[in-house]
Amino acid sequence: MEKTYTITRHVCPRNCYSSCSMLGYSVNGRLKKVSGDHQHGYTNGLLCAKGYNYLHHVYHPDRIKYPMMQVPRGSGNWQRISWTEAIDVISGKIMELYKRYGSHLSLALNKYSGNMGVLHHAMEGFFNGLGETSRAIGNPCWAPGMDALYYDFGEHHTSDISDVRHAKTIILWGINPVWTSIHSMPYIIAARQQGAKVITIDPVYTETAKKSDAYIQIKPRSDGALALAVAKYVLEHNLYDAEFIRNYTHGWTELAEYLNGCSMEEALNQCGQTMEVIQYLAEQLTKNKPAYIWAGFGMQRNQNGGQNIRAINALAAITGNLGRKGSGVQFGQRASWKFSYSILNHVPFDKQKQTGVRPLDFNDFANELQRHQNPPVKFLWITSRNLLTQSGNVEKLKQSLQQLELIVTLEHFLTETAAWSDIVLPATTQFEEWDVMASYWHHWISINQPAISPYYESKSEMEIARMLSKRLNSYEENFSAFPTDLSDEDFIDQEFTEEFYEALQIQHWRELVDGGPRRVNLPKTAWESLEFKTPSGKIELFSTQAEAEQLSPFGMALLGEQNKQEYPYILLLNHEPFRINSQFQNLYSYKQINQEPCIYLHPVLARDKGIQSNSLVKLFNAHGQITIRAKYSEDLEYHTLVIHPNHPLVNQLVGFIPADMGKKVTGGNGNALNDLYVNIEKLS
């Protein structure tokens, strides 16, 4: 007998380029299968391996079913409690701390990218509704690059990926879409079939590089030096686009003078290239236009990360590869995120209460918890985040967490962070809740509706925020301003403005349920108008805003002196195809292909160090050391190491090194995670 499915719309909410639109198929209230949604104009009905395995995620036997309390913290002595008990303990602690300190600054929220849905801002909204609280601010992902775009262009835009079909040269600079953005690959392959040359620039000979027409292996963190060398060649050989520079850029005279004073020999040495490579890139950018450049996130996770992106922006500008079909520098965008964010704006009823946020640096959270003692943080809420596997200075972080009186984590599974908490609350998945999603890459908006009832006693972040607000207000009238009488759909109503509806060409957001995802009406070519939101109204090759922030005003710079004799090798932390950081690693399909984490090094380095393949080695730096198995790989250059698959043990080597940029857009400098210098020795 043929099954009759109830079909519902969903969005993968993870921190990924694709934000895939999905369809859920349910029978008698149980999710039976998941597929891609063919009405999504970017993902076109396809999912990645993780997406097709969501069924195993939803019904995984290890999924948290009930609220649990652990006494004492870290003991593993978990007891099931009711939601009433959980809300009573949490709200009671909030009240008690407010009475003790006379403010809510002892409450802290640490949240990031486990779910990027708009309604998943409910906890920020709840905290805002209490008054001034402490908050992890900054961004571990793209902060330096976003600042770079701000200084150069004034806003954050990307071209529609379909625009790549107009390109004659495609440069995949520090990006591995074969592993991390598979939905973009059909567009790139189609452009290549039409004659476009695909060039990959990366320290690692990636799967994407292996499918390209040309591969340029640079030294880690030297992307800016490579861009500078090419720009200098373009200048010296009069290959620059004089008309474009004259009409649409600011600061060319100063940049040209600066480039004349730079040493080509030093630039080549820093990026590890020859003049032949520089000439090839220069001619591709100037004689095989338009050139489409996709700049990955990895290169801006360095101490010079923002400067790397600025250098690529400047190179595109002086060669006239911006604002024209098939051209531009693609990094990330927020232009399609036209939500009102009303969910964040429920301020306290008591006008005497302070509002706002006491910032705790996201990337230096261990030290921030100890640094702020007036009052100290005593309560920490963690959601959409595995703090202990995504932070540096892990041992110090654990010490800092000991000063807290209550740690609450909202999760699907008993992660390392959940296991270090006092209360763990079971969270719904996207198949059990309402939400709405955009992407930081493409321009499509999708709705997420519940397909099934919440798994056991799991609840959405929105429902928990309402429950807490209601309980607090039962203790003291108007203690919390977060609404308790609005449904999830009511909150979605508030997020869509008339301007947003016009951009989507719909009358109401429920058309996204009935008719599927819609593309925001943005130009398919970024900066098509060639009008920029900078002080000059042009692309700023010389940025007075950057100069005012005591950064280099130029979009290009060579690396400073590096004394790394004790730790001469860079360890890169690459993303993988079958999980997103610590997510999805417990799925059956992943376990079937799971590998022991290994350190990959070039065979010549292994020979020089006397390291045999498959032997155990010591990897160490000033932060700590780990023992790990070694494997050979000719995909790396001599001084580069790669750990694969990524594993929490690497956090023993990670501290916090601030990147050069990030404060302007995200409030805190990025973390230079790819400036991870180590040494390696064979074990005797």
Side-chain angles (χ1 to χ4, degrees):
M1 186 174 179
E2 187 176 342
K3 294 179 181 177
T4 302
Y5 291 109
T6 299
I7 303 175
T8 44
R9 296 194 184 280
H10 308 278
V11 195
C12 182
R14 301 312 192 251
N15 186 2
C16 167
Y17 284 100
S18 295
S19 298
C20 292
S21 185
M22 303 183 294
L23 298 176
Y25 299 80
S26 304
V27 177
N28 296 326
R30 186 173 179 85
L31 188 66
K32 291 295 184 179
K33 69 174 183 177
V34 175
S35 76
D37 185 351
H38 287 278
Q39 289 181 268
H40 194 284
Y42 167 67
T43 56
N44 290 312
L46 298 176
L47 302 177
C48 69
K50 301 179 287 292
Y52 285 118
N53 276 279
Y54 261 122
L55 201 63
H56 300 304
H57 181 96
V58 172
Y59 294 115
H60 197 289
D62 293 340
R63 191 171 162 194
I64 300 169
K65 299 177 176 67
Y66 313 102
M68 299 189 297
M69 179 178 284
Q70 178 180 214
V71 182
R73 185 185 302 156
S75 66
N77 182 28
W78 290 100
Q79 296 180 350
R80 176 182 170 182
I81 59 175
S82 68
W83 271 103
T84 299
E85 290 173 297
I87 295 299
D88 281 346
V89 170
I90 296 166
S91 58
K93 176 56 70 174
I94 291 172
M95 294 291 297
E96 188 265 313
L97 290 171
Y98 182 70
K99 291 175 181 177
R100 188 193 309 177
Y101 295 113
S103 78
H104 287 298
L105 289 175
S106 62
L107 309 181
L109 173 65
N110 192 308
K111 177 188 175 184
Y112 190 51
S113 63
N115 191 305
M116 306 284 279
V118 174
L119 294 198
H120 274 260
H121 289 79
M123 199 47 61
E124 292 101 308
F126 168 75
F127 269 65
N128 289 345
L130 294 175
E132 188 179 21
T133 58
S134 299
R135 196 81 49 89
I137 58 95
N139 187 291
C141 186
W142 65 353
M146 293 300 270
D147 269 19
L149 268 61
Y150 177 85
Y151 291 130
D152 293 340
F153 307 133
E155 282 185 336
H156 308 105
H157 293 280
T158 57
S159 296
D160 194 290
I161 186 64
S162 64
D163 195 55
V164 76
R165 72 182 186 274
H166 300 290
K168 292 184 178 179
T169 296
I170 301 169
I171 300 179
L172 303 175
W173 201 322
I175 182 73
N176 185 14
V178 170
W179 275 14
T180 62
S181 186
I182 60 169
H183 295 93
S184 295
M185 286 306 299
Y187 299 94
I188 293 170
I189 292 168
R192 188 183 184 201
Q193 289 172 342
Q194 291 177 193
K197 296 294 183 185
V198 178
I199 303 166
T200 291
I201 302 172
D202 203 290
V204 180
Y205 188 38
T206 63
E207 291 304 310
T208 300
K210 293 169 186 175
K211 298 180 185 300
S212 302
D213 296 293
Y215 169 57
I216 298 170
Q217 187 170 62
I218 63 169
K219 295 179 181 178
R221 70 193 306 270
S222 69
D223 308 87
L226 176 61
L228 185 147
V230 176
K232 187 174 175 66
Y233 184 95
V234 166
L235 172 64
E236 291 174 347
H237 292 79
N238 294 317
L239 295 174
Y240 52 87
D241 190 326
E243 182 180 358
F244 187 90
I245 289 171
R246 181 173 58 255
N247 292 329
Y248 304 114
T249 73
H250 167 77
W252 167 241
T253 301
E254 293 90 337
L255 179 59
E257 183 179 348
Y258 173 77
L259 288 172
N260 281 326
C262 289
S263 165
M264 178 66 84
E265 182 181 1
E266 178 60 22
L268 294 175
N269 178 60
Q270 287 190 7
C271 62
Q273 299 307 313
T274 63
M275 279 301 300
E276 287 76 15
V277 169
I278 302 305
Q279 179 182 351
Y280 170 73
L281 275 176
E283 291 182 349
Q284 286 296 129
L285 285 165
T286 58
K287 298 180 180 180
N288 199 32
K289 295 162 60 173
Y292 180 103
I293 303 172
W294 185 353
F297 294 156
M299 75 176 74
Q300 45 96 66
R301 292 173 186 153
N302 292 100
Q303 288 172 277
N304 64 327
Q307 200 65 34
N308 283 340
I309 300 296
R310 286 204 69 204
I312 295 171
N313 292 343
L315 181 59
I318 68 172
T319 56
N321 280 299
L322 279 166
R324 296 168 176 173
K325 289 184 182 301
S327 72
V329 179
Q330 322 303 330
F331 178 76
Q333 63 91 22
R334 297 281 294 183
S336 66
W337 294 69
K338 295 180 179 293
F339 305 103
S340 70
Y341 291 100
S342 296
I343 194 171
L344 299 175
N345 298 327
H346 299 285
V347 298
F349 296 109
D350 184 352
K351 302 303 180 184
Q352 302 303 312
K353 272 190 177 182
Q354 293 288 325
T355 58
V357 169
R358 178 174 71 172
L360 307 177
D361 194 312
F362 207 111
N363 295 308
D364 195 24
F365 200 66
N367 288 316
E368 290 286 84
L369 285 175
Q370 294 185 10
R371 190 175 295 127
H372 293 278
Q373 295 295 323
N374 186 29
V377 172
K378 291 296 182 183
F379 173 108
L380 178 61
W381 188 285
I382 304 168
T383 181
S384 298
R385 179 105 160 100
N386 193 351
L387 187 61
L388 291 180
T389 65
Q390 295 174 321
S391 301
N393 295 323
V394 174
E395 292 307 314
K396 188 168 188 178
L397 177 58
K398 289 180 179 179
Q399 294 171 12
S400 298
L401 294 177
Q402 292 290 11
Q403 76 180 32
L404 307 184
E405 296 176 11
L406 187 64
I407 301 175
V408 181
T409 295
L410 179 62
E411 255 296 356
H412 295 148
F413 300 100
L414 196 63
T415 63
E416 293 84 349
T417 302
W420 201 255
S421 304
D422 300 296
I423 293 178
V424 174
L425 303 175
T428 49
T429 68
Q430 71 266 31
F431 299 98
E432 302 150 50
E433 62 189 19
W434 282 102
D435 214 333
V436 60
M437 280 284 302
S439 166
Y440 58 74
W441 178 242
H442 60 71
H443 301 143
W444 289 77
I445 305 295
S446 302
I447 205 72
N448 190 93
Q449 63 182 136
I452 56 176
S453 298
Y455 182 78
Y456 286 81
E457 293 186 10
S458 60
K459 293 186 183 297
S460 69
E461 193 165 311
M462 174 68 75
E463 179 62 19
I464 295 168
R466 283 192 293 248
M467 291 171 70
L468 281 170
S469 187
K470 185 174 182 179
R471 184 58 50 87
L472 288 167
N473 288 336
S474 73
Y475 294 147
E476 183 177 317
E477 188 177 4
N478 294 333
F479 189 85
S480 167
F482 190 79
T484 61
D485 58 344
L486 297 181
S487 68
D488 292 5
E489 294 97 316
D490 291 335
F491 276 100
I492 296 176
D493 279 339
Q494 294 182 351
E495 292 302 322
F496 283 84
T497 63
E498 289 304 316
E499 178 192 5
F500 202 178
Y501 282 139
E502 185 177 346
L504 289 169
Q505 298 181 312
I506 59 176
Q507 300 297 314
H508 195 271
W509 62 264
R510 289 192 182 275
E511 293 180 47
L512 301 175
V513 177
D514 301 328
R518 293 293 183 94
R519 185 183 179 275
V520 179
N521 188 21
L522 292 168
K524 292 197 171 184
T525 302
W527 306 113
E528 188 176 54
S529 68
L530 292 170
E531 295 174 354
F532 302 91
K533 301 296 184 180
T534 56
S536 66
K538 298 182 176 183
I539 303 161
E540 303 224 328
L541 305 174
F542 184 101
S543 170
T544 54
Q545 291 186 105
E547 188 176 41
E549 300 290 338
Q550 298 178 336
L551 298 167
S552 170
F554 298 110
M556 295 187 171
L558 291 174
L559 294 168
E561 289 293 323
Q562 295 289 314
N563 182 14
K564 302 296 180 184
Q565 294 180 356
E566 190 174 359
Y567 306 111
Y569 310 108
I570 284 187
L571 174 60
L572 296 182
L573 311 176
N574 283 354
H575 280 287
E576 302 171 41
F578 299 112
R579 62 177 180 172
I580 301 176
N581 295 326
S582 62
Q583 298 179 75
F584 299 105
Q585 63 184 2
N586 61 339
L587 298 187
Y588 303 124
S589 57
Y590 181 82
K591 287 185 174 181
Q592 290 173 2
I593 58 172
N594 196 14
Q595 304 169 355
E596 174 189 13
C598 295
I599 193 71
Y600 288 80
L601 70 162
H602 196 278
V604 175
L605 173 59
R607 182 198 64 197
D608 293 346
K609 289 281 189 177
I611 294 171
Q612 297 295 317
S613 182
N614 290 315
S615 65
L616 292 176
V617 296
K618 180 174 73 171
L619 203 64
F620 61 98
N621 63 13
H623 293 287
Q625 67 178 48
I626 61 174
T627 298
I628 190 169
R629 197 169 302 281
K631 289 187 179 292
Y632 298 164
S633 174
E634 294 187 351
D635 293 344
L636 314 173
E637 61 94 39
Y638 184 89
H639 288 92
T640 305
L641 309 175
V642 171
I643 188 169
H644 181 81
N646 280 343
H647 192 277
L649 63 83
V650 78
N651 285 35
Q652 301 299 320
L653 306 173
V654 177
F656 171 56
I657 303 172
D660 54 352
M661 298 179 195
K663 288 183 179 179
K664 199 75 176 176
V665 174
T666 72
N669 286 89
N671 193 354
L673 290 167
N674 283 333
D675 273 337
L676 183 51
Y677 285 88
V678 298
N679 209 332
I680 185 170
E681 291 180 358
K682 67 176 183 179
L683 291 178
S684 56

